[in-house]
Amino acid sequence: QVQLVESGGGLVQAGGSLRLSCVASGRTFDTYAMGWFRQAPGKEREFVAGISWAGGSIFYGDSVRGRFTISRDNAKNTVYLQMNSLKPEDTAVYYCAAAGRMRSIAAMSEIDYWGQGTQVTVSS
């Protein structure tokens, strides 16, 4: 079992930055690909970013590429999402996710574990 706990959400003005953190419990954190999804009110949950277990493979959703950066520290069982140049349309609940295979990290149906989510609100 892996439990994921996100933090770092909040209210920020457009153009600002936030860094989200996700701490995982369990000894097998470094065997999982990790990712972030988000869900805005009335919209489907969408993939934001994913990172392989060793950090060597990273990819992003089209709407955040160039503005967001995902990273991980396996010694701290933590994955991060640095969000820069935030826009009002980035407002959503952000969820941390873990998948047993990197090829699965962008597919909601193949996620093994989810965090509870953290709210990010970007004001215009």
Side-chain angles (χ1 to χ4, degrees):
Q1 281 281 5
V2 175
Q3 291 186 327
L4 305 174
V5 179
E6 304 98 331
S7 62
L11 174 64
V12 63
Q13 289 188 333
S17 298
L18 280 175
R19 188 176 82 155
L20 305 183
S21 299
C22 172
V23 179
S25 65
R27 298 181 178 180
T28 59
F29 173 77
D30 59 1
T31 66
Y32 283 88
M34 299 298 297
W36 291 92
F37 287 74
R38 68 185 183 185
Q39 188 166 18
K43 295 187 177 181
E44 294 186 352
R45 193 170 296 190
E46 68 168 340
F47 172 75
V48 174
I51 186 168
S52 61
W53 68 273
S57 179
I58 291 174
F59 60 101
Y60 298 94
D62 290 342
S63 60
V64 306
R65 190 176 296 112
R67 298 187 298 122
F68 290 11
T69 302
I70 189 171
S71 61
R72 67 189 294 165
D73 184 340
N74 287 343
K76 296 182 178 180
N77 279 14
T78 303
V79 61
Y80 304 97
L81 186 68
Q82 177 66 43
M83 306 185 293
N84 297 330
S85 302
L86 283 162
K87 306 174 181 179
E89 50 264 44
D90 293 318
T91 295
V93 177
Y94 283 70
Y95 296 92
C96 181
R101 300 179 303 175
M102 184 59 181
R103 69 180 71 178
S104 301
I105 197 59
M108 284 196 300
S109 62
E110 298 187 30
I111 296 299
D112 295 309
Y113 301 101
W114 291 98
Q116 83 289 349
T118 185
Q119 176 70 46
V120 172
T121 302
V122 184
S123 63
S124 58

